[in-house]
Each structure stands twice: as structure tokens, then as C-alpha cells.
């Protein structure tokens, strides 16, 4: 079903805030390379997130912690070369902003200068407020990330739903308000109860983009490799698979192998 929406030539951080005000939902997907970013941007996506989930889906690490700032910049450069319309947000990776605001600003500046990304994303609330402030003061737009914050996975211990208890829900609401007050242009809310996510979205003027946060928020984000069914061992309830590329690609690769072995490929028309 196609949904009526304003025809933005280029999406900016301002467009996203306007979309929320106009009740238009925001669609965000991850990309880490040129080809995928080109396809996603051509499809009309609002935001591409160069997520540190690249650590999992591109590099095969168990967590997002190992990916480096240099690697994130490399992925972001490839994405930026591909896009014409969408906003590109780049995750500041673990270990590049937690120690102090000066380090955080240095990392954000490197991302903006070396990749051409349009904004950065950071995980956390009150604990990183000075770093967020410093980055915003330098004119760099910041997207927050609350709820399940994968860079803190060893503190949480599991990837289960966050903020089910009152104390954590209260802190999350306070953090969301704080991020808005500091000047963040949007917040990702990951894996929290739908009712709480709606409450947070309703209390803010900046958009809340959910992943596993129900449909009462202002937009949705998925990891592209998951929604395309390229990863098939990851099956959270919130994940809708739009394709089964793992099986589709396996079939194509097997066919290629058979064709090569049987001398079916290349045929007369496929050679010079
Ligand atoms: O890194 C990432 O892909 C993310 C999304 C899950 C929001 O942060």
C-alpha cells in the first residue's frame, strides 16, 4: 500500500522533525557498502544508518564492541558515495566517545570530515550528556539511542527487552527528555515495551525511531541484512523478513557451481 507523503528532494534532520509534526512515519535501514546503499536510497528510504551492527553482519563479530572508528569511517564513505536523497547517520563506535567529551568530539569530527556523513548516533543518556553537548556545540547533529544499547551488552548480560521494571522505565523517560533538551534531532528506542515507547514518543517533539518498540513511535528501523533474510539464525519477535535471501542466494550459488562443473556455463553466447 502506498502512503501519501511529502516529496522531499533531500532528507535533512529538519525534515525528520517535520515528518513527526505531520504524522508521517520515518523509515530507516542500515547499510555499510556502496551497492546496498544505492539500492536502499533509490527505494526512497528516509534515513540510512551506518550502524555499528556492521561489526556483526559485515565482520562476523558476536557483538558491536570490536568495530573501530576507522572501520566505521570506511563503511560510511562507501555509503555516502552511493546516496542522493536520504539522510546518513553514522554510529560512533564503542570506545570512541565514552572516556571524555574531547575524545567524543574528536571522533564525531573525524566521522563528519572523513566520511561526509550527515549526523552521528550515540548510545546512552545522562552518562554521556557532556559529550553530546560538546558535539552538538560543534554543529554536528546527534541521534540518541536508548533502551537496549548493544554497546553495553556486557553490563546487561542479555539481549532481552529493557525497561520492563518501573525504575528503568523512569530513567529511560528522563533520558529521552534530556536528549531532546540537549538538542538531539531524534532518538532510536530499541527493544522496550510498546506502551512505554509510545509514551516516550508522545512526550517528545523530536522523532522516536523504534526497533522492537511497537508501532506507537514515529518511525521504524531494521538491520537490512536481517529484513532481507540474509541472516537466518537471528529471530527476534520484532523482525519482519521481507525476503528469504539466505535460501535464494544459496540456490543461485549452488546453481552456478553445478553449471561450472557440468560445463553448462559459459555457453556459446556468453563468450567472445
Ligand atoms: O547498529 C545498528 O544497526 C543499530 C540499529 C539496530 C538501530 O544501532
Amino acid at each position: 500500500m502506498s502512503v501519501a507523503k511529502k516529496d522531499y528532494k533531500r532528507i535533512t534532520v529538519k525534515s525528520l522533525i517535520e515528518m513527526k509534526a505531520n504524522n508521517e512515519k520515518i523509515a530507516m535501514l542500515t547499510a555499510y557498502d556502496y551497492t546496498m546503499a544505492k539500492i536502499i536510497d533509490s527505494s526512497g528510504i528516509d534515513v540510512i544508518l551506518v550502524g555499528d551492527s556492521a561489526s556483526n553482519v559485515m565482520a562476523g563479530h558476536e557483538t558491536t564492541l570490536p568495530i573501530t572508528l576507522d572501520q566505521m569511517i570506511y563503511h560510511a564513505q562507501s555509503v555516502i558515495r552511493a546516496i542522493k536523497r536520504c539522510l546518513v547517520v553514522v554510529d560512533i563506535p564503542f570506545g570512541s566517545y565514552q572516556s571524555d567529551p574531547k575524545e567524543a568530539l574528536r571522533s564525531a569530527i573525524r566521522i563528519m570530515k572523513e566520511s561526509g556523513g550527515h549526523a552521528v548516533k550515540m548510545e546512552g543518556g545522562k552518562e554521556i550528556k557532556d559529550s553530546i553537548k560538546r558535539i552538538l556545540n560543534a554543529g554536528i547533529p546527534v541521534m540518541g539511542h536508548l533502551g537496549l544499547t548493544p554497546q553495553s551488552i556486557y553490563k546487561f548480560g542479555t539481549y532481552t527487552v529493557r525497561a520492563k521494571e518501573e525504575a528503568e522505565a523512569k530513567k529511560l523517560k528522563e533520558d529521552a527528555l534530556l536528549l531532546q533538551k540537549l538538542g538531539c534531532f531524534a532518538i532510536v528506542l530499541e527493544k522496550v515495551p510498546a506502551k512505554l515507547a509510545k509514551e516516550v514518543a508522545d512526550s517528545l517533539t523530536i522523532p522516536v525511531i523504534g526497533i522492537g518498540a511497537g508501532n506507537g513511535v514515529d518511525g521504524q528501523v531494521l538491520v537490512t541484512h536481517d529484513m532481507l533474510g540474509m541472516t537466518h539464525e537471528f529471530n527476534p519477535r520484532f523482525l519482519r523478513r521481507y525476503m528469504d535471501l539466505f535460501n535464494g542466494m544459496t540456490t543461485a550459488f549452488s546453481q552456478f557451481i553445478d553449471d561450472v562443473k557440468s560445463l553448462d556455463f559459459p555457453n556459446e553466447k556468453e563468450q567472445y
Side-chain angles (χ1 to χ4, degrees):
M1 190 182 69
S2 118
V3 183
K5 52 187 184 175
K6 183 168 163 187
D7 190 17
Y8 290 96
K9 286 222 161 13
R10 268 220 95 118
I11 305 285
T12 65
V13 296
K14 288 239 160 63
S15 324
L16 300 187
I17 293 170
E18 191 180 285
M19 283 163 128
K20 170 161 180 151
N22 293 338
N23 231 343
E24 176 180 342
K25 299 288 177 188
I26 296 162
M28 173 158 114
L29 284 170
T30 60
Y32 323 102
D33 68 273
Y34 176 85
T35 305
M36 190 70 90
K38 204 168 179 74
I39 300 170
I40 296 175
D41 185 55
S42 314
S43 311
I45 202 76
D46 299 312
V47 187
I48 284 184
L49 171 66
V50 184
D52 57 3
S53 49
S55 180
N56 309 101
V57 295
M58 299 303 284
H61 292 297
E62 222 172 276
T63 72
T64 57
L65 276 67
I67 199 159
T68 64
L69 185 59
D70 284 338
Q71 288 164 341
M72 287 302 298
I73 290 170
Y74 166 78
H75 287 298
Q77 286 168 337
S78 309
V79 167
I80 282 290
R81 275 181 221 119
I83 62 100
K84 288 199 161 60
R85 176 183 175 273
C86 69
L87 183 82
V88 176
V89 180
V90 185
D91 262 331
I92 312 189
F94 176 73
S96 325
Y97 63 96
Q98 285 86 354
S99 64
D100 72 71
K102 278 191 188 154
E103 182 206 34
L105 179 58
R106 263 197 307 274
S107 301
I109 286 177
R110 278 203 61 202
I111 288 174
M112 302 297 282
K113 223 179 167 67
E114 295 176 37
S115 79
H118 308 140
V120 297
K121 177 163 81 61
M122 300 164 76
E123 295 184 5
K126 194 169 165 217
E127 319 71 40
I128 58 160
K129 82 169 191 324
D130 293 336
S131 295
I132 293 176
K133 246 200 244 171
R134 197 171 267 249
I135 293 172
L136 286 166
N137 281 343
I140 300 172
V142 176
M143 175 181 271
H145 185 154
L146 299 172
L148 177 68
T149 45
Q151 292 180 9
S152 306
I153 188 58
Y154 290 114
K155 185 174 92 183
F156 298 145
T158 75
Y159 285 98
T160 52
V161 181
R162 303 303 315 171
K164 278 163 100 177
E165 306 301 330
E166 189 45 43
E168 195 178 336
K170 182 169 174 285
K171 173 164 179 357
L172 190 146
K173 287 189 257 185
E174 287 166 3
D175 278 343
L177 276 172
L178 174 68
L179 293 183
Q180 170 169 282
K181 199 165 150 220
L182 290 173
C184 289
F185 69 93
I187 297 174
V188 164
L189 207 46
E190 180 164 352
K191 236 175 164 185
V192 299
K195 187 166 169 281
L196 171 66
K198 179 171 172 15
E199 211 182 305
V200 172
D202 287 348
S203 71
L204 302 180
T205 53
I206 59 168
V208 172
I209 302 178
I211 174 164
N215 68 4
V217 290
D218 308 302
Q220 301 291 332
V221 53
L222 285 176
V223 170
T224 296
H225 290 64
D226 296 335
M227 63 86 80
L228 290 177
M230 294 172 92
T231 52
H232 68 163
E233 52 303 298
F234 179 62
N235 280 307
R237 189 205 291 203
F238 67 77
L239 175 59
R240 183 178 294 183
R241 292 196 195 286
Y242 288 82
M243 293 188 88
D244 179 7
L245 272 193
F246 187 93
N247 285 320
M249 289 170 82
T250 306
T251 305
F253 297 145
S254 308
Q255 186 66 57
F256 171 72
I257 295 164
D258 286 351
D259 290 352
V260 169
K261 305 252 176 214
S262 66
L263 300 184
D264 181 83
F265 176 79
N267 64 23
E268 295 244 317
K269 286 188 197 148
E270 290 162 333
Q271 51 191 310
Y272 302 99

